[in-house]
Coordinates of all heavy atoms in Angstrom, one line a residue:
L1 N 0.8 -1.2 0.0 CA 0.0 0.0 0.0 C 0.9 1.3 0.0 O 0.6 2.2 -0.8 CB -0.9 0.0 1.2 CG -1.9 1.1 1.3 CD1 -2.9 1.1 0.1 CD2 -2.7 0.9 2.6
I2 N 1.9 1.2 0.8 CA 2.8 2.4 0.9 C 3.6 2.5 -0.4 O 3.7 3.6 -0.9 CB 3.8 2.3 2.1 CG1 3.0 2.4 3.4 CG2 4.8 3.3 2.0 CD1 3.7 2.0 4.6
L3 N 4.0 1.4 -1.0 CA 4.7 1.4 -2.2 C 3.9 2.0 -3.3 O 4.3 2.9 -4.1 CB 5.2 0.0 -2.6 CG 5.7 -0.2 -4.0 CD1 7.1 0.5 -4.1 CD2 5.8 -1.7 -4.3
S4 N 2.6 1.5 -3.4 CA 1.7 2.0 -4.5 C 1.4 3.5 -4.3 O 1.4 4.3 -5.2 CB 0.4 1.2 -4.5 OG 0.7 -0.1 -4.9
A5 N 1.2 3.9 -3.0 CA 0.9 5.3 -2.7 C 2.0 6.2 -3.1 O 1.8 7.3 -3.7 CB 0.5 5.5 -1.3
S6 N 3.2 5.8 -2.8 CA 4.4 6.7 -3.1 C 4.7 6.7 -4.6 O 5.1 7.7 -5.2 CB 5.6 6.2 -2.4 OG 6.0 4.9 -2.8
T7 N 4.4 5.6 -5.3 CA 4.6 5.5 -6.7 C 3.5 6.2 -7.6 O 3.8 6.9 -8.5 CB 4.7 4.1 -7.2 OG1 5.7 3.4 -6.5 CG2 5.1 4.0 -8.7
F8 N 2.3 6.1 -7.2 CA 1.2 6.6 -8.0 C 0.7 8.0 -7.6 O -0.1 8.6 -8.3 CB 0.0 5.6 -7.9 CG 0.3 4.2 -8.4 CD1 -0.1 3.1 -7.7 CD2 1.0 4.1 -9.6 CE1 0.1 1.9 -8.2 CE2 1.3 2.8 -10.0 CZ 0.9 1.7 -9.3
H9 N 1.2 8.5 -6.4 CA 0.7 9.8 -6.0 C 1.2 10.9 -7.0 O 2.3 11.0 -7.4 CB 1.3 10.2 -4.6 CG 0.9 11.5 -4.1 ND1 -0.4 11.8 -3.7 CD2 1.6 12.7 -4.0 CE1 -0.5 13.0 -3.4 NE2 0.7 13.6 -3.5
G10 N 0.3 11.7 -7.4 CA 0.6 12.8 -8.3 C 0.7 12.4 -9.8 O 1.1 13.2 -10.6
T11 N 0.3 11.2 -10.1 CA 0.3 10.8 -11.5 C -1.2 10.6 -11.9 O -2.1 10.7 -11.1 CB 1.1 9.4 -11.6 OG1 0.4 8.4 -11.0 CG2 2.5 9.6 -11.1
K12 N -1.3 10.2 -13.2 CA -2.7 9.9 -13.7 C -3.1 8.5 -13.3 O -4.3 8.2 -13.6 CB -2.7 10.1 -15.2 CG -1.7 9.2 -15.9 CD -1.8 9.4 -17.4 CE -0.7 8.5 -18.0 NZ -0.8 8.4 -19.4
N13 N -2.3 7.8 -12.7 CA -2.6 6.4 -12.4 C -3.1 6.2 -10.9 O -2.6 5.4 -10.1 CB -1.4 5.5 -12.6 CG -0.9 5.5 -14.0 OD1 -1.7 5.5 -14.9 ND2 0.4 5.5 -14.2
Q14 N -4.1 7.0 -10.5 CA -4.6 6.9 -9.2 C -5.8 6.1 -9.0 O -6.4 6.0 -7.9 CB -4.9 8.4 -8.7 CG -3.7 9.2 -8.6 CD -3.9 10.6 -8.1 OE1 -5.1 10.9 -7.7 NE2 -2.9 11.4 -8.0
D15 N -6.3 5.5 -10.0 CA -7.5 4.6 -9.9 C -7.2 3.1 -10.0 O -7.8 2.4 -10.7 CB -8.5 5.0 -11.0 CG -7.9 4.9 -12.4 OD1 -6.7 4.8 -12.5 OD2 -8.7 4.9 -13.4
V16 N -6.2 2.7 -9.3 CA -5.8 1.3 -9.2 C -6.8 0.6 -8.3 O -6.9 0.9 -7.2 CB -4.3 1.2 -8.7 CG1 -4.0 -0.3 -8.6 CG2 -3.4 1.9 -9.6
T17 N -7.4 -0.4 -8.9 CA -8.5 -1.2 -8.1 C -8.1 -2.6 -7.8 O -8.7 -3.2 -6.9 CB -9.8 -1.2 -8.8 OG1 -9.6 -1.7 -10.1 CG2 -10.3 0.3 -9.0
E18 N -7.2 -3.2 -8.5 CA -6.8 -4.6 -8.3 C -5.3 -4.7 -8.2 O -4.5 -3.8 -8.7 CB -7.3 -5.4 -9.4 CG -8.8 -5.5 -9.5 CD -9.2 -6.4 -10.6 OE1 -8.4 -7.1 -11.2 OE2 -10.4 -6.4 -10.9
I19 N -4.8 -5.7 -7.6 CA -3.4 -6.0 -7.4 C -2.7 -6.1 -8.8 O -1.5 -5.7 -8.9 CB -3.1 -7.1 -6.5 CG1 -1.7 -7.1 -6.0 CG2 -3.4 -8.4 -7.1 CD1 -1.4 -8.0 -4.8
A20 N -3.4 -6.7 -9.7 CA -2.8 -6.9 -11.1 C -2.6 -5.5 -11.7 O -1.6 -5.3 -12.4 CB -3.7 -7.7 -11.9
D21 N -3.5 -4.6 -11.5 CA -3.3 -3.2 -12.0 C -2.1 -2.6 -11.4 O -1.3 -1.9 -12.1 CB -4.5 -2.3 -11.7 CG -5.8 -2.8 -12.4 OD1 -5.7 -3.5 -13.4 OD2 -6.9 -2.4 -11.9
A22 N -1.9 -2.7 -10.1 CA -0.7 -2.2 -9.5 C 0.6 -2.8 -10.0 O 1.5 -2.1 -10.3 CB -0.8 -2.4 -7.9
F23 N 0.6 -4.1 -10.2 CA 1.8 -4.7 -10.7 C 2.1 -4.2 -12.1 O 3.2 -3.9 -12.5 CB 1.6 -6.3 -10.7 CG 2.8 -7.0 -11.3 CD1 3.9 -7.1 -10.6 CD2 2.7 -7.5 -12.6 CE1 5.0 -7.8 -11.1 CE2 3.8 -8.1 -13.1 CZ 5.0 -8.3 -12.4
R24 N 1.0 -4.1 -13.0 CA 1.2 -3.7 -14.3 C 1.7 -2.3 -14.4 O 2.6 -1.9 -15.2 CB -0.1 -3.8 -15.1 CG -0.1 -3.4 -16.5 CD -1.4 -3.6 -17.2 NE -2.5 -3.0 -16.5 CZ -2.9 -1.7 -16.5 NH1 -2.1 -0.9 -17.2 NH2 -3.9 -1.3 -15.9
L25 N 1.3 -1.4 -13.5 CA 1.7 0.0 -13.5 C 3.1 0.1 -12.8 O 3.8 1.1 -13.1 CB 0.7 0.8 -12.8 CG -0.6 1.0 -13.6 CD1 -1.7 1.6 -12.7 CD2 -0.4 1.7 -14.9
L26 N 3.5 -0.7 -11.9 CA 4.8 -0.7 -11.2 C 5.9 -1.2 -12.1 O 7.0 -0.8 -12.0 CB 4.8 -1.4 -9.9 CG 4.1 -0.7 -8.7 CD1 4.0 -1.6 -7.6 CD2 4.8 0.6 -8.4
S27 N 5.6 -2.2 -13.0 CA 6.6 -2.8 -13.8 C 7.4 -1.9 -14.6 O 8.7 -2.0 -14.6 CB 6.0 -3.9 -14.7 OG 5.5 -4.9 -13.9
P28 N 6.9 -0.9 -15.3 CA 7.7 0.1 -16.1 C 8.6 0.9 -15.1 O 9.8 1.2 -15.5 CB 6.7 1.0 -16.8 CG 5.5 0.3 -16.8 CD 5.4 -0.6 -15.6
T29 N 8.2 1.2 -14.0 CA 9.0 2.0 -13.0 C 10.1 1.2 -12.4 O 11.2 1.6 -12.3 CB 8.1 2.6 -12.0 OG1 7.0 3.3 -12.6 CG2 8.8 3.6 -11.1
L30 N 9.7 0.0 -11.8 CA 10.6 -0.8 -11.1 C 11.2 -1.9 -11.8 O 12.1 -2.6 -11.3 CB 9.9 -1.3 -9.8 CG 9.4 -0.3 -8.9 CD1 8.5 -0.9 -7.8 CD2 10.4 0.6 -8.3
G31 N 10.7 -2.2 -13.0 CA 11.1 -3.4 -13.8 C 10.3 -4.6 -13.3 O 9.8 -4.6 -12.2
A32 N 10.2 -5.6 -14.1 CA 9.3 -6.8 -13.8 C 9.9 -7.5 -12.6 O 9.2 -7.9 -11.7 CB 9.2 -7.7 -15.0
V33 N 11.2 -7.6 -12.5 CA 11.9 -8.3 -11.4 C 11.7 -7.5 -10.1 O 11.4 -8.1 -9.0 CB 13.4 -8.6 -11.7 CG1 14.1 -9.2 -10.5 CG2 13.5 -9.5 -12.9
G34 N 11.9 -6.2 -10.2 CA 11.8 -5.4 -9.0 C 10.4 -5.4 -8.4 O 10.1 -5.5 -7.2
A35 N 9.4 -5.3 -9.3 CA 8.0 -5.3 -8.9 C 7.6 -6.6 -8.3 O 6.9 -6.7 -7.3 CB 7.1 -4.9 -10.1
S36 N 8.1 -7.7 -8.9 CA 7.8 -9.0 -8.4 C 8.4 -9.2 -7.1 O 7.7 -9.8 -6.2 CB 8.3 -10.1 -9.4 OG 7.7 -10.0 -10.6
T37 N 9.6 -8.8 -6.9 CA 10.3 -9.0 -5.6 C 9.6 -8.2 -4.5 O 9.4 -8.7 -3.4 CB 11.8 -8.5 -5.7 OG1 12.4 -9.3 -6.8 CG2 12.5 -8.7 -4.4
I38 N 9.3 -6.9 -4.8 CA 8.6 -6.1 -3.8 C 7.2 -6.7 -3.5 O 6.8 -6.7 -2.3 CB 8.5 -4.6 -4.3 CG1 9.9 -4.0 -4.3 CG2 7.6 -3.8 -3.5 CD1 10.0 -2.7 -4.8
F39 N 6.5 -7.1 -4.4 CA 5.2 -7.7 -4.1 C 5.4 -9.0 -3.3 O 4.6 -9.3 -2.4 CB 4.4 -8.1 -5.4 CG 3.5 -7.0 -5.9 CD1 4.0 -6.1 -6.8 CD2 2.2 -6.9 -5.4 CE1 3.1 -5.0 -7.2 CE2 1.4 -5.9 -5.8 CZ 1.8 -5.0 -6.7
A40 N 6.4 -9.8 -3.6 CA 6.6 -11.0 -2.8 C 6.9 -10.7 -1.4 O 6.4 -11.3 -0.4 CB 7.7 -11.8 -3.4
I41 N 7.8 -9.7 -1.1 CA 8.1 -9.3 0.2 C 6.9 -8.8 1.0 O 6.7 -9.1 2.1 CB 9.3 -8.3 0.2 CG1 10.6 -8.9 -0.3 CG2 9.5 -7.6 1.6 CD1 11.7 -8.0 -0.6
A42 N 6.1 -8.0 0.3 CA 4.9 -7.4 0.9 C 3.9 -8.5 1.3 O 3.3 -8.5 2.3 CB 4.2 -6.4 0.0
L43 N 3.7 -9.5 0.4 CA 2.8 -10.6 0.7 C 3.3 -11.5 1.8 O 2.6 -12.0 2.7 CB 2.6 -11.5 -0.5 CG 1.7 -10.8 -1.6 CD1 1.7 -11.7 -2.9 CD2 0.3 -10.5 -1.1
L44 N 4.6 -11.7 1.9 CA 5.2 -12.5 3.0 C 5.0 -11.7 4.3 O 4.7 -12.3 5.3 CB 6.7 -12.7 2.7 CG 7.5 -13.5 3.8 CD1 6.9 -14.9 3.9 CD2 9.0 -13.5 3.5
G45 N 5.3 -10.4 4.3 CA 5.0 -9.6 5.5 C 3.6 -9.6 6.0 O 3.3 -9.7 7.1
S46 N 2.7 -9.6 5.0 CA 1.3 -9.6 5.3 C 0.9 -11.0 5.9 O 0.1 -11.0 6.9 CB 0.4 -9.4 4.0 OG -0.9 -9.6 4.3
G47 N 1.4 -12.0 5.4 CA 1.1 -13.4 6.0 C 1.7 -13.5 7.4 O 1.0 -14.1 8.2
Q48 N 2.9 -13.0 7.6 CA 3.5 -13.1 8.9 C 2.6 -12.3 9.9 O 2.4 -12.7 11.0 CB 4.9 -12.6 8.9 CG 5.9 -13.6 8.2 CD 5.9 -14.9 8.9 OE1 6.0 -15.0 10.2 NE2 5.9 -16.0 8.2
N49 N 2.2 -11.1 9.5 CA 1.4 -10.3 10.4 C 0.1 -11.0 10.8 O -0.3 -11.0 11.9 CB 1.1 -9.0 9.7 CG 0.3 -8.0 10.6 OD1 0.5 -8.1 11.8 ND2 -0.4 -7.1 10.0
S50 N -0.5 -11.7 9.8 CA -1.8 -12.4 10.0 C -1.5 -13.6 11.0 O -2.3 -13.8 11.9 CB -2.3 -12.9 8.7 OG -3.4 -13.7 8.9
T51 N -0.4 -14.3 10.8 CA -0.1 -15.4 11.7 C 0.1 -15.0 13.1 O -0.3 -15.6 14.0 CB 1.1 -16.2 11.1 OG1 0.8 -16.6 9.8 CG2 1.4 -17.4 11.9
I52 N 0.9 -13.9 13.3 CA 1.2 -13.4 14.6 C -0.1 -13.0 15.3 O -0.3 -13.2 16.5 CB 2.3 -12.3 14.5 CG1 3.6 -12.9 14.2 CG2 2.4 -11.6 15.9 CD1 4.7 -11.9 13.8
T53 N -1.0 -12.3 14.6 CA -2.2 -11.8 15.1 C -3.1 -13.0 15.6 O -3.7 -13.0 16.7 CB -3.0 -11.0 14.1 OG1 -2.2 -9.9 13.7 CG2 -4.3 -10.5 14.7
G54 N -3.1 -14.1 14.8 CA -3.8 -15.3 15.2 C -3.2 -16.0 16.4 O -4.0 -16.5 17.2
T55 N -1.9 -16.0 16.4 CA -1.2 -16.6 17.6 C -1.6 -15.8 18.9 O -1.9 -16.4 19.9 CB 0.3 -16.6 17.4 OG1 0.6 -17.3 16.2 CG2 1.0 -17.2 18.6
L56 N -1.5 -14.5 18.8 CA -1.8 -13.7 20.0 C -3.3 -13.8 20.4 O -3.6 -13.9 21.6 CB -1.5 -12.2 19.8 CG 0.0 -12.0 19.6 CD1 0.3 -10.5 19.3 CD2 0.8 -12.4 20.9
A57 N -4.2 -13.9 19.4 CA -5.6 -14.1 19.8 C -5.8 -15.4 20.4 O -6.6 -15.6 21.3 CB -6.4 -13.9 18.5
G58 N -5.2 -16.4 19.8 CA -5.3 -17.8 20.4 C -4.8 -17.9 21.8 O -5.4 -18.5 22.7
Q59 N -3.7 -17.2 22.1 CA -3.1 -17.1 23.4 C -4.1 -16.5 24.4 O -4.4 -17.0 25.5 CB -1.8 -16.3 23.5 CG -1.3 -16.1 24.8 CD 0.0 -15.3 24.8 OE1 0.6 -15.0 23.7 NE2 0.4 -14.8 25.9
I60 N -4.7 -15.4 24.0 CA -5.7 -14.7 24.9 C -6.9 -15.6 25.2 O -7.4 -15.7 26.3 CB -6.1 -13.4 24.3 CG1 -4.9 -12.4 24.4 CG2 -7.3 -12.7 25.1 CD1 -5.0 -11.2 23.6
I61 N -7.4 -16.2 24.1 CA -8.6 -17.1 24.3 C -8.3 -18.3 25.2 O -9.0 -18.7 26.1 CB -9.1 -17.5 22.9 CG1 -9.7 -16.3 22.2 CG2 -10.1 -18.7 23.0 CD1 -10.0 -16.6 20.7
M62 N -7.1 -18.9 24.9 CA -6.7 -20.1 25.7 C -6.5 -19.8 27.2 O -6.9 -20.5 28.0 CB -5.5 -20.8 25.1 CG -5.8 -21.5 23.8 SD -4.3 -22.2 23.0 CE -4.2 -23.7 23.9
E63 N -5.9 -18.7 27.4 CA -5.6 -18.3 28.8 C -6.7 -17.7 29.5 O -7.0 -18.0 30.7 CB -4.4 -17.4 28.9 CG -3.1 -18.0 28.6 CD -1.9 -17.0 28.6 OE1 -2.2 -15.8 28.8 OE2 -0.8 -17.5 28.5
G64 N -7.5 -16.8 28.9 CA -8.5 -16.0 29.6 C -9.8 -16.7 29.6 O -10.5 -16.8 30.6
F65 N -10.3 -17.2 28.4 CA -11.7 -17.6 28.3 C -11.8 -19.1 28.6 O -12.7 -19.6 29.3 CB -12.2 -17.4 26.9 CG -12.3 -15.9 26.6 CD1 -11.7 -15.4 25.5 CD2 -13.0 -15.0 27.5 CE1 -11.8 -14.0 25.2 CE2 -13.1 -13.7 27.2 CZ -12.5 -13.2 26.1
V66 N -10.9 -19.9 28.1 CA -10.9 -21.4 28.2 C -10.2 -21.9 29.4 O -10.4 -23.0 29.9 CB -10.4 -22.1 26.9 CG1 -10.6 -23.5 27.0 CG2 -11.1 -21.5 25.7
N67 N -9.3 -21.0 30.0 CA -8.5 -21.3 31.1 C -7.6 -22.5 30.9 O -7.5 -23.4 31.8 CB -9.4 -21.5 32.4 CG -8.6 -21.2 33.6 OD1 -7.6 -20.6 33.6 ND2 -9.1 -21.7 34.7
I68 N -6.9 -22.6 29.8 CA -6.0 -23.7 29.5 C -4.6 -23.1 29.6 O -4.2 -22.0 29.0 CB -6.2 -24.2 28.1 CG1 -7.5 -24.9 27.9 CG2 -5.0 -25.2 27.7 CD1 -7.8 -25.3 26.5
R69 N -3.7 -23.7 30.4 CA -2.4 -23.2 30.6 C -1.4 -24.2 29.9 O -1.4 -25.4 30.3 CB -2.0 -23.1 32.1 CG -2.9 -22.3 32.9 CD -2.6 -20.8 32.7 NE -3.4 -20.0 33.6 CZ -4.1 -18.9 33.2 NH1 -3.9 -18.5 32.0 NH2 -4.8 -18.2 34.1
L70 N -0.7 -23.7 29.0 CA 0.3 -24.5 28.3 C 1.7 -23.7 28.3 O 1.7 -22.5 28.5 CB -0.1 -24.7 26.8 CG -1.4 -25.5 26.6 CD1 -1.7 -25.4 25.1 CD2 -1.2 -26.9 27.0
R71 N 2.7 -24.5 28.0 CA 4.0 -23.8 27.8 C 3.9 -22.9 26.6 O 3.2 -23.3 25.6 CB 5.1 -24.8 27.6 CG 5.4 -25.6 28.9 CD 6.5 -26.6 28.6 NE 6.8 -27.3 29.9 CZ 7.6 -28.4 29.9 NH1 8.0 -28.9 28.8 NH2 7.8 -28.9 31.1
P72 N 4.6 -21.8 26.6 CA 4.5 -20.9 25.5 C 4.8 -21.5 24.1 O 4.1 -21.2 23.1 CB 5.5 -19.7 25.8 CG 5.6 -19.8 27.3 CD 5.4 -21.2 27.7
W73 N 5.8 -22.3 24.0 CA 6.2 -22.9 22.7 C 5.2 -23.9 22.2 O 4.9 -24.0 21.0 CB 7.6 -23.5 22.8 CG 7.7 -24.7 23.6 CD1 8.0 -24.8 24.9 CD2 7.5 -26.1 23.2 NE1 8.0 -26.1 25.3 CE2 7.7 -26.9 24.3 CE3 7.2 -26.7 21.9 CZ2 7.6 -28.3 24.2 CZ3 7.1 -28.0 21.9 CH2 7.3 -28.8 23.0
V74 N 4.5 -24.6 23.1 CA 3.4 -25.5 22.7 C 2.2 -24.7 22.2 O 1.6 -25.1 21.2 CB 3.0 -26.4 23.9 CG1 1.8 -27.3 23.5 CG2 4.2 -27.3 24.3
R75 N 1.9 -23.7 23.0 CA 0.7 -22.8 22.6 C 1.0 -22.2 21.2 O 0.1 -22.2 20.3 CB 0.5 -21.8 23.6 CG -0.7 -20.9 23.3 CD -0.9 -19.9 24.4 NE 0.2 -19.1 24.7 CZ 0.9 -19.0 25.9 NH1 0.5 -19.8 26.9 NH2 1.9 -18.3 26.0
R76 N 2.2 -21.7 21.0 CA 2.5 -21.0 19.7 C 2.5 -22.0 18.6 O 2.0 -21.7 17.5 CB 3.9 -20.3 19.8 CG 3.8 -19.1 20.7 CD 5.2 -18.5 20.8 NE 5.1 -17.4 21.8 CZ 6.0 -17.3 22.8 NH1 7.0 -18.2 22.9 NH2 5.9 -16.3 23.6
L77 N 3.0 -23.2 18.8 CA 3.0 -24.3 17.8 C 1.6 -24.7 17.5 O 1.2 -24.8 16.3 CB 3.8 -25.5 18.3 CG 3.9 -26.6 17.3 CD1 4.8 -26.2 16.2 CD2 4.6 -27.8 18.1
M78 N 0.7 -24.8 18.4 CA -0.7 -25.1 18.2 C -1.4 -24.0 17.4 O -2.1 -24.3 16.4 CB -1.4 -25.4 19.5 CG -1.1 -26.7 20.1 SD -2.0 -26.9 21.7 CE -3.6 -26.6 21.3
T79 N -1.3 -22.8 17.8 CA -2.1 -21.7 17.2 C -1.5 -21.4 15.8 O -2.3 -21.1 14.9 CB -2.1 -20.5 18.0 OG1 -0.8 -20.1 18.4 CG2 -2.9 -20.7 19.3
R80 N -0.2 -21.5 15.6 CA 0.3 -21.2 14.3 C 0.1 -22.4 13.3 O -0.1 -22.2 12.1 CB 1.8 -20.9 14.4 CG 2.1 -19.6 14.9 CD 3.6 -19.2 14.9 NE 3.8 -17.9 15.5 CZ 4.9 -17.4 15.7 NH1 6.0 -18.1 15.4 NH2 5.1 -16.3 16.3
G81 N 0.0 -23.6 13.9 CA -0.3 -24.7 13.1 C -1.8 -24.7 12.6 O -2.0 -25.0 11.4
L82 N -2.7 -24.2 13.4 CA -4.0 -24.0 13.0 C -4.2 -22.8 12.0 O -5.0 -22.9 11.1 CB -5.0 -23.7 14.2 CG -5.1 -24.9 15.1 CD1 -5.9 -24.5 16.3 CD2 -5.8 -26.0 14.4
A83 N -3.4 -21.8 12.1 CA -3.4 -20.7 11.2 C -2.9 -21.0 9.9 O -3.3 -20.6 8.8 CB -2.7 -19.5 11.8

């Protein structure tokens, strides 16, 4: 999102609605390899963020609501495995 905002701000390409549009418009600026690499890093970061959020939510539910006490590494393994 930050990459697209900084690249497309002030240009005529402000109506990007899909990720394919963003890739197509970034390729001339960054090159196909550069755009692919940046998209891959962004998707990896997004997935990690989602997994960590699920792990923390699982920890709160297990400890607070269900009252299950586990070692931290076991709890993380369980919640990340489910995610």
Side-chain angles (χ1 to χ4, degrees):
L1 185 61
I2 294 170
L3 171 69
S4 293
S6 64
T7 303
F8 301 137
H9 180 71
T11 66
K12 61 181 177 168
N13 300 320
Q14 294 182 3
D15 57 344
V16 178
T17 57
E18 296 182 9
I19 196 165
D21 294 338
F23 178 76
R24 183 178 48 80
L25 293 171
L26 282 173
S27 293
T29 306
L30 302 173
V33 175
S36 297
T37 303
I38 289 175
F39 268 92
I41 292 169
L43 289 174
L44 180 64
S46 175
Q48 288 298 315
N49 186 27
S50 175
T51 301
I52 290 170
T53 302
T55 301
L56 293 175
Q59 174 183 346
I60 291 169
I61 291 170
M62 290 176 81
E63 287 181 352
F65 297 124
V66 185
N67 203 20
I68 297 175
R69 304 283 185 225
L70 296 173
R71 292 182 176 165
W73 69 271
V74 173
R75 182 178 55 242
R76 290 179 188 126
L77 184 66
M78 286 177 53
T79 55
R80 287 187 184 172
L82 293 172

